[in-house]
Amino acid sequence: MSQKYRLNNIGYINRNKKISFSFNKKRYFGYEGDTLASALLANGVHLVGRSFKYHRPRGFLGSGVDEPNAKVQLNKGPKTEPNISATEIELVEGLEATSQNCWPSVFFDIGAINNFLNKFFPAGFYYKTFMWPKNFWYRIYEPIIRKAAGLGVAPLKPDPDRYEHKYEHCDVLVVGSGPSGLASSLAAAKNGAKVILAEDKPRFGGSLLVDEVTIGNKKGKEWSDEVITELKSMPNVIVKNRSQVFGYYDHNMMVMFERVKDHLQNPKKYTPRQRLWYIRAKETIICTGSIERPLVFGNNDRPGIMLASAAKEYIKLYGVLIGKKPIIFTNNDSAYDTAIEFKKNGVSPLIIDTRKEVNNPIIKEAISLNIEIKFNHGIANTKGYRKIKSAIIGNFNDDKSGYENLKEISCDCICVSGSWTPTVHLSSQSGNKLKYNENVDAFIPHQSRQNETTLGSAKGTFTLKKVLDDGFKEGFQLSNKITNKNVEIKVPNSNEKNYKEHEKLWCMPLPKNKEYKRFVDFQNDVAVSDIELALREGFRSIEHVKRYTTLGMATDQGKTSNLNGLQLVSNIEKKVVPEVGHTTFRPPYTSVTIGTIVGREVGKHYRPTRKSPMHEWHKKNNAIFVDAGLWLRPRYYKKNNENLLQASIREAANVRKNVGVCDVTSLGKIDIKGPDSAELLNRVYTNAWLKLPIGKSRYGVMLREDGIVFDDGTTTRISENHFHMTTTTAQAVNVLSHLEYYLQVVWPELDVNVISSTEEWAGAAIAGPNSRNLLGRLFPNIDVSNDKLPFMGYKEADLFGVPSRIFRISFSGELAYEINVGSSYGNFMWEKIIELGKDLKIQPYGTEALSTLRIEMGHVAGSEIDGRVIASDLSLDGMLSKKKDFVGKRSLNREAFLNTKREKIVGLVPLDKKSMIPEGSHLVENYKAPLPNPKLGHVSASCWSVEYDNPFSLAILKDGKNMIGKNLYAVSPLKNTNIEVEVVSSHYVDPKGERVRS
Amino acid sequence: MLEIKCPYCGKRSQIEFSYGGDAKLERPKLGTEVSDSEWNEFVYYRNNPRGEHLELWHHISGCRQWFKVFRNTATHEILSTSKIDEKIK
């Protein structure tokens, strides 16, 4: 099967390797080295999609990242990817692509009715039309518009591909491998610099791939290949193709994505699909080249109308003719290359040049090849719905405001050229203040703010000799600042065609009484008339015009439309372009998949998981785990068909009755050493610490400077100058930073060192009336009696040879001990506890039972210490020393904190003694009261009291102390419950604390 | 992402650090009389300058030292970094 538009003897594709693919379910073939775009064009396919607003048929405008039209949906199922430029996709066997934004098909699209109704869809249409009635927006307008608009379809399943991140440092990062990039990379690399050369496309060389030039007496492409080979052989150089530097961030940090897998025919199983590089470069050389500017004329969006440079690229890289009856429409010389290229390949083009007769060498060459040229002509309109069929051309009148002698000329493609726009995105992102350059009629980099240098056509330099001179010079100078090696290489001679100036005409006039759509932004269907309307309606700032018309806001981010838009605004406003200014260039330069940005940090790798040394035991014993910060903690140990509530009641009741064991490894632990340790504690805790005896623990509360409770825990004096602090699991990290802040910044005179020892120790709490008996079995050599190891006592002992710390502290409110051993002995300790506790009816208990036990005891935890309460709210007034100053004390004199009617912690019991009160319920006097019903407090924690066998909750209630005995309603609109409750003391069980001291 | 020179460890990427606010802020000495307005200034009021700012950073995923960073908040340029007890260079 031959391809109608494929040439036999030109291009860099591999004609020995056919590749079959499908587009809109139809099978085609192309060759290895093709893009989806070049393969479709070789098969004569131009119609690839529909435009966003009017659903107009669209084809290819470009050949690379600038493509606004040819966006396709790639592949199916979880691997599907929307809005991909067909011009960037490398062809692989079995590739499946479909058109977007059209239904039922790209050939017949219902939405195209918008095209015929386009008078009703001016700029701002949606803003103006769907304002009223208000509630219609969410219910009716928005869902319908969403369905009709939008481009591709997002995948619904998780992405099965793997993405990697990589960090790299270098002396010189060169972005782009055109002549500037090659010259500066080579010069820097030869001078000993560590260089990264990044090329977005699969092939290196940039313009050298398509331009007829010589460097060092070789063809441009040949020279380029040699330089790349040499750079690849150098150990100090990383050369990357398919790698797009898309963002320039602070301190010369560049972010780049590398396409690793999609182009491979047989990728290995673990090959990442893409790799994200974070590159910190000492110097960055931006050689991103330039993008051709389209011309604006009536119906300039039909399939078959393409940039002249793209048409040339399709011939020279892929051996594909985009048509056999081409019109070249230009305001400058560079499009003549495209015409000559057509001619050389046996196709006679017609050149329409807006300029009056000019006499440039390249025009002479075209004339000598018998190419027909019409000077001082413009294209007023085109015909052909799904594919261009003809152009209406005319001779310009004197001031080029209209035409004389319009006539129709048939054609099968139009190659347009409005000269070149430097690609300044990265320079601008780096903070470079751009400046308008009248010669190239575009913004170019001006003043660098970071170590950034822009070269070549990205800077508006369009002659090869100057490009090479600059490239070699800057490559040497910038690298020499770093390496100081003074190795400078000679600039090779070069030869190229000479181009003359372009005409400053981009937007063609309309013939009299005609209102053809002249598109500026193709993807978002922004036409000249929309911009005119925006200005008529009073939008002046270019940023406002952009947002009102959506000019440049599509996925191509206006790469081909920005300057034509600016030019138009400045023409209408009778300003010069630099006065109009430009919109902001933001990263990413091209679309980047979310998968690449998140890399491997997905699913369970989203954050690290911390497990206690006893984790495997818990797993084996049917633990159901819960996330506690980064920790995985057993929530309960499931027996038979128990649910969470049943299991937690069983476990908690067993603690109250016999003995239970709980893994408390995750509790934050901080080791504090130094002669001023007690003084530090005395300053950060609200109570007194100087006189704590060695071998004793004490409960402490820490405040923030604003007086709010920060954390609580027990701290133990191990020896005179050595303390062991515990924090809540949640605040462990913050408490350490807090201590470090005060020690290093505020009180550097204190001689104290602090370090996290959370992971050094495995912890087990044994709690319940049988716990002393069990402790005695675990440590037969020490006296565990109440006299020798009283409440808040501390002892060091051997657990069958394992050094252990025993703290007599209790969160459950029962007689309890916490045993710590070195982490690697954690499992040994745990198994010993289970083994020796067996006949004492020991059961492990999880966080849910732990909560139950602490709630009915009225012990506060994170759900009460929620960053809004002060100590007295939690009935912790007694913890506030009157004799000494401490962090946050001064704030407690604030008027609001002295208010005696403040919130206070209380207990709640439902009157029916069986309805569980949902956490987060609001407390109100009368649940039927009209809204806004005054809220008196909220429920912070709920449990099923195992002591009283009814529900019990803790709440923070206004004037709580005086409310005890009253009845209120706990309402939860989320759970749709109103429960009548009695306010009781928060100390529901053992209010005098006798059990812990027993 | 900023590149910050920890005075103890050298240049590292911003992800290793956490920001700690105005370095010129001085906590009133413990045990001294502090007026309401002074205390208010200390706890709540912060300048948000556009331009040079002396600030604290904490090398939280490194040496865990607090230190001073003299930074331009408009350009993100870091003019110097120093240990807590050092004068800014």
Side-chain angles (χ1 to χ4, degrees):
Chain A
M1 197 166 66
S2 69
Q3 290 176 320
K4 212 175 149 196
Y5 292 89
R6 184 81 74 173
L7 298 163
N8 291 325
N9 48 2
I10 186 168
Y12 305 119
I13 48 163
N14 178 5
R15 285 184 175 75
N16 296 321
K17 184 116 205 241
K18 274 192 183 180
I19 293 178
S20 85
F21 67 100
S22 82
F23 180 66
N24 287 334
K25 294 185 181 155
K26 197 173 162 192
R27 295 222 72 80
Y28 298 92
F29 80 91
Y31 295 109
E32 189 177 71
D34 261 327
T35 61
L36 176 58
S38 66
L40 285 171
L41 287 167
N43 287 286
V45 177
H46 278 261
L47 173 59
V48 281
R50 293 273 175 164
S51 68
F52 186 64
K53 193 158 122 188
Y54 301 132
H55 292 248
R56 288 169 68 104
R58 290 283 165 80
F60 304 94
L61 181 74
S63 55
V65 296
D66 49 338
E67 178 59 45
N69 290 332
K71 303 288 174 185
V72 297
Q73 182 95 26
L74 218 55
N75 299 321
K76 284 192 278 197
K79 288 202 177 206
T80 193
E81 206 174 356
N83 308 338
I84 300 298
S85 293
T87 52
E88 290 182 83
I89 296 301
E90 292 177 68
L91 211 59
V92 285
E93 187 65 36
L95 183 118
E96 291 176 57
T98 46
S99 297
Q100 304 183 148
N101 200 32
C102 50
W103 184 83
S105 83
V106 72
F107 288 98
F108 178 75
D109 175 17
I110 293 277
I113 194 136
N114 288 1
N115 187 25
F116 302 103
L117 301 175
N118 70 50
K119 279 225 169 65
F120 303 103
F121 285 89
F125 168 74
Y126 293 99
Y127 300 127
K128 289 168 183 163
T129 311
F130 298 109
M131 299 280 288
W132 183 92
K134 203 175 155 196
N135 60 350
F136 267 41
W137 175 252
Y138 294 103
R139 280 172 37 213
I140 294 167
Y141 297 143
E142 211 239 357
I144 293 175
I145 293 168
R146 283 237 172 270
K147 219 169 157 186
L151 295 166
V153 181
L156 296 171
K157 295 236 173 85
D159 189 339
D161 274 311
R162 172 187 288 246
Y163 301 86
E164 300 279 359
H165 283 189
K166 185 179 168 70
Y167 293 79
E168 193 59 79
H169 292 257
C170 66
D171 295 329
V172 182
L173 169 66
V174 180
V175 186
S177 72
S180 301
L182 292 172
S184 48
S185 302
L186 190 63
K190 289 270 188 186
N191 198 24
K194 188 180 172 193
V195 175
I196 297 177
L197 172 61
E199 168 58 46
D200 156 42
K201 299 203 166 188
R203 296 174 185 85
F204 296 98
S207 63
L208 297 177
L209 290 168
V210 289
D211 285 353
E212 297 288 319
V213 297
T214 63
I215 302 174
N217 303 322
K218 293 168 198 139
K219 284 194 158 187
K221 162 93 163 60
E222 216 176 297
W223 181 78
S224 155
D225 289 348
E226 280 183 24
V227 173
I228 289 294
T229 308
E230 183 170 8
L231 288 170
K232 280 183 172 170
S233 73
M234 296 172 78
N236 53 328
V237 185
I238 297 173
V239 180
K240 281 280 160 194
N241 55 342
R242 298 186 178 90
S243 295
Q244 172 87 64
V245 176
F246 65 81
Y248 198 128
Y249 297 89
D250 287 309
H251 299 182
N252 257 35
M253 164 89 127
M254 250 62 55
V255 184
M256 166 173 107
F257 73 86
E258 181 191 358
R259 303 186 298 276
V260 187
K261 182 175 164 186
D262 283 354
H263 65 282
L264 300 175
Q265 290 297 347
N266 299 303
K268 292 199 183 104
K269 190 176 171 193
Y270 292 112
T271 303
R273 176 160 178 252
Q274 296 187 352
R275 185 178 288 125
L276 192 74
W277 293 59
Y278 297 91
I279 304 170
R280 189 80 74 173
K282 292 198 179 99
E283 293 287 341
T284 302
I285 303 180
I286 298 174
C287 311
T288 44
S290 49
I291 289 173
E292 197 164 29
R293 226 170 127 171
L295 293 171
V296 180
F297 49 97
N299 290 304
N300 56 335
D301 64 327
R302 299 198 190 283
I305 300 179
M306 191 183 283
L307 292 172
S309 57
K312 185 170 84 171
E313 194 171 320
Y314 286 117
I315 297 173
K316 296 206 76 168
L317 288 191
Y318 308 103
V320 171
L321 288 170
I322 67 152
K324 295 191 174 171
K325 213 174 169 202
I327 290 177
I328 314 289
F329 183 28
T330 183
N331 70 358
N332 68 89
D333 283 353
S334 72
Y336 279 75
D337 277 336
T338 307
I340 291 166
E341 212 52 58
F342 270 113
K343 189 74 185 180
K344 279 197 209 159
N345 287 289
V347 171
S348 288
L350 165 66
I351 297 179
I352 304 206
D353 194 327
T354 62
R355 297 172 295 182
K356 295 215 165 110
E357 184 124 17
V358 262
N359 199 9
N360 294 344
I362 193 156
I363 294 174
K364 280 187 188 152
E365 188 185 341
I367 292 170
S368 74
L369 287 169
N370 285 325
I371 296 174
E372 190 187 352
I373 307 170
K374 288 187 186 293
F375 289 107
N376 197 35
H377 269 66
I379 297 183
N381 188 24
T382 66
K383 289 185 178 173
Y385 185 59
R386 289 181 190 128
K387 172 83 190 289
I388 183 88
K389 282 187 181 135
S390 63
I392 316 295
I393 68 164
N395 210 338
F396 284 125
N397 61 15
D398 284 346
D399 61 356
K400 298 199 172 176
S401 64
Y403 307 92
E404 292 156 9
N405 311 321
L406 285 172
K407 62 177 175 180
E408 185 168 348
I409 294 190
S410 73
C411 63
D412 66 355
C413 66
I414 299 178
C415 306
V416 294
S417 176
S419 82
W420 296 80
T421 308
T423 303
V424 294
H425 297 63
L426 287 179
S427 319
S428 177
Q429 286 172 23
S430 78
N432 192 311
K433 283 248 178 296
L434 306 179
K435 195 181 169 188
Y436 194 75
N437 182 302
E438 297 280 343
N439 292 328
V440 296
D441 270 305
F443 287 93
I444 59 169
H446 180 47
Q447 267 176 340
S448 297
R449 214 193 68 201
Q450 301 198 40
N451 292 340
E452 159 264 335
T453 308
T454 303
L455 293 178
S457 68
K459 193 177 103 180
T461 308
F462 287 99
T463 58
L464 183 63
K465 185 175 181 317
K466 177 99 170 68
V467 161
L468 292 173
D469 284 349
D470 286 355
F472 278 100
K473 191 184 90 194
E474 292 289 348
F476 167 72
Q477 286 181 352
L478 292 168
S479 62
N480 216 44
K481 283 202 289 186
I482 302 160
T483 67
N484 257 323
K485 288 197 172 159
N486 285 312
V487 182
E488 195 168 0
I489 46 174
K490 231 182 102 202
V491 184
N493 59 25
S494 60
N495 204 337
E496 67 174 328
K497 292 176 190 171
N498 268 324
Y499 297 136
K500 291 278 170 61
E501 277 172 17
H502 62 273
E503 184 177 24
K504 294 177 187 292
L505 175 69
W506 291 273
C507 183
M508 301 307 132
L510 290 171
K512 261 190 195 139
N513 304 322
K514 298 288 183 190
E515 284 187 45
Y516 305 129
K517 281 266 175 215
R518 292 171 294 173
F519 287 96
V520 179
D521 181 317
F522 294 95
Q523 195 178 130
N524 269 355
D525 277 338
V526 180
V528 173
S529 52
D530 294 312
I531 295 171
E532 288 168 344
L533 177 76
L535 292 165
R536 272 206 307 282
E537 291 188 355
F539 292 92
R540 285 295 173 273
S541 153
I542 188 65
E543 296 279 7
H544 291 160
V545 172
K546 166 181 167 174
R547 280 157 186 80
Y548 191 58
T549 61
T550 72
L551 171 74
M553 285 169 69
T555 59
D556 64 321
Q557 290 284 290
K559 290 183 179 63
T560 51
S561 63
N562 274 339
L563 269 172
N564 280 339
L566 290 180
Q567 190 70 51
L568 204 60
V569 171
S570 64
N571 286 353
I572 298 167
E573 294 274 283
K574 302 212 176 352
K575 282 181 186 170
V576 287
V577 174
E579 276 178 51
V580 175
H582 60 84
T583 53
T584 312
F585 296 97
R586 292 192 179 85
Y589 171 63
T590 53
S591 310
V592 185
T593 60
I594 299 287
T596 308
I597 290 168
V598 297
R600 294 290 291 279
E601 289 165 17
V602 288
K604 69 173 180 176
H605 299 297
Y606 176 62
R607 51 185 200 172
T609 305
R610 301 174 81 179
K611 294 174 184 169
S612 97
M614 291 82 95
H615 186 84
E616 288 306 312
W617 189 95
H618 302 322
K619 248 168 78 177
K620 267 187 242 151
N621 288 274
N622 301 325
I624 309 294
F625 292 94
V626 63
D627 290 323
L630 299 178
W631 290 90
L632 270 184
R633 297 189 70 181
R635 193 172 189 190
Y636 63 100
Y637 300 82
K638 195 178 175 82
K639 268 196 180 171
N640 307 319
N641 291 327
E642 277 177 339
N643 62 23
L644 168 68
L645 184 65
Q646 290 162 339
S648 68
I649 290 171
R650 168 182 53 75
E651 291 171 6
N654 188 60
V655 170
R656 295 263 184 258
K657 202 170 144 206
N658 303 306
V659 60
V661 58
C662 181
D663 187 344
V664 292
T665 302
S666 69
L667 220 65
K669 305 175 201 74
I670 296 170
D671 205 57
I672 303 174
K673 273 184 180 166
D676 297 320
S677 299
E679 177 62 29
L680 171 71
L681 296 173
N682 211 44
R683 294 180 184 191
V684 296
Y685 277 131
T686 60
N687 50 344
W689 285 81
L690 297 178
K691 289 177 185 157
L692 179 70
I694 294 168
K696 282 280 183 190
S697 301
R698 184 166 284 174
Y699 175 69
V701 173
M702 281 184 207
L703 308 187
R704 312 190 310 214
E705 290 286 17
D706 64 1
I708 300 287
V709 177
F710 173 42
D711 196 44
D712 70 343
T714 57
T715 293
T716 304
R717 195 165 206 163
I718 307 272
S719 65
E720 178 65 24
N721 296 325
H722 183 194
F723 290 80
H724 172 84
M725 174 185 277
T726 66
T727 72
T728 58
T729 300
Q731 293 286 22
V733 172
N734 298 336
V735 171
L736 183 66
S737 290
H738 182 79
L739 298 180
E740 285 167 338
Y741 170 77
Y742 283 99
L743 282 174
Q744 294 171 25
V745 182
V746 185
W747 308 313
E749 68 277 10
L750 292 187
D751 189 359
V752 183
N753 277 301
V754 292
I755 191 166
S756 166
S757 59
T758 302
E759 294 187 343
E760 309 304 315
W761 299 99
I766 52 172
N770 292 344
S771 60
R772 180 177 292 124
N773 193 345
L774 175 57
L775 192 73
R777 296 180 187 185
L778 291 164
F779 300 97
N781 299 331
I782 62 167
D783 185 347
V784 297
S785 68
N786 202 23
D787 282 352
K788 293 287 187 241
L789 185 52
F791 181 53
M792 289 302 203
Y794 165 77
K795 264 194 187 332
E796 288 168 15
D798 266 12
L799 176 77
F800 303 99
V802 175
S804 314
R805 292 172 166 184
I806 307 163
F807 306 86
R808 188 170 164 193
I809 53 180
S810 175
F811 192 46
S812 59
E814 290 299 323
L815 170 67
Y817 305 86
E818 275 182 33
I819 307 170
N820 282 3
V821 295
S823 280
S824 38
Y825 295 106
N827 206 49
F828 170 79
M829 165 184 70
W830 189 269
E831 285 181 343
K832 272 284 170 219
I833 291 170
I834 297 288
E835 177 196 327
L836 299 178
K838 208 167 181 185
D839 62 309
L840 299 171
K841 300 199 172 146
I842 195 162
Q843 285 183 24
Y845 63 104
T847 55
E848 200 68 20
L850 184 71
S851 289
T852 298
L853 296 164
R854 73 95 187 168
I855 291 168
E856 59 176 8
M857 280 290 165
H859 288 166
V860 294
S863 51
E864 287 77 36
I865 305 176
D866 62 357
R868 295 181 292 182
V869 294
I870 57 172
S872 73
D873 301 349
L874 301 175
S875 295
L876 293 170
D877 321 50
M879 295 293 296
L880 305 173
S881 168
K882 295 207 171 59
K883 291 184 190 146
K884 57 143 196 174
D885 198 0
F886 50 83
V887 169
K889 186 179 191 183
R890 179 64 182 78
S891 290
L892 299 178
N893 289 336
R894 287 169 60 197
E895 202 180 324
F897 287 176
L898 296 171
N899 185 346
T900 51
K901 304 242 157 136
R902 274 187 69 86
E903 293 78 1
K904 197 64 99 184
I905 187 165
V906 293
L908 302 174
V909 178
L911 293 193
D912 66 4
K913 302 268 172 138
K914 55 182 188 221
S915 303
M916 285 283 278
I917 308 165
E919 289 176 353
S921 293
H922 283 199
L923 295 170
V924 297
E925 233 163 52
N926 172 11
Y927 74 92
K928 287 179 182 158
L931 295 174
N933 193 348
K935 175 197 158 192
L936 304 176
H938 70 273
V939 176
S940 61
S942 291
C943 71
W944 187 276
S945 166
V946 293
E947 186 87 5
Y948 295 100
D949 200 23
N950 56 248
F952 176 74
S953 294
L954 289 177
I956 309 282
L957 177 63
K958 242 177 223 158
D959 198 16
K961 267 224 165 113
N962 295 320
M963 299 291 276
I964 287 176
K966 292 197 174 143
N967 290 357
L968 294 173
Y969 287 92
V971 298
S972 172
L974 278 178
K975 302 259 159 107
N976 204 17
T977 53
N978 307 305
I979 299 166
E980 195 170 10
V981 295
E982 186 192 348
V983 182
V984 298
S985 161
S986 59
H987 299 292
Y988 196 42
V989 174
D990 190 24
K992 289 187 184 148
E994 286 164 347
R995 294 183 192 177
V996 294
R997 293 182 174 80
S998 65
Chain B
M1 184 160 32
L2 307 183
E3 190 178 42
I4 301 170
K5 188 181 170 193
C6 168
Y8 302 91
C9 308
K11 282 184 174 176
R12 296 286 193 277
S13 272
Q14 188 184 344
I15 41 166
E16 292 189 13
F17 300 90
S18 76
Y19 176 67
D22 186 353
K24 287 187 175 153
L25 188 74
E26 263 190 50
R27 193 196 188 283
K29 271 204 161 60
L30 280 173
T32 54
E33 278 289 310
V34 188
S35 71
D36 281 352
S37 65
E38 275 175 90
W39 188 253
N40 247 7
E41 284 285 331
F42 163 66
V43 176
Y44 295 108
Y45 288 85
R46 298 291 182 273
N47 291 326
N48 183 19
R50 187 180 197 280
E52 291 178 356
H53 190 225
L54 185 66
E55 50 203 28
L56 289 174
W57 286 75
H58 190 195
H59 197 181
I60 197 154
S61 301
C63 63
R64 298 212 54 103
Q65 295 299 304
W66 289 85
F67 60 95
K68 290 186 281 193
V69 175
F70 191 38
R71 187 174 73 97
N72 187 317
T73 59
T75 63
H76 294 183
E77 186 189 356
I78 291 180
L79 305 158
S80 67
T81 60
S82 46
K83 296 178 181 175
I84 288 294
D85 55 357
E86 283 175 346
K87 284 256 178 291
I88 351 156
K89 277 156 259 168

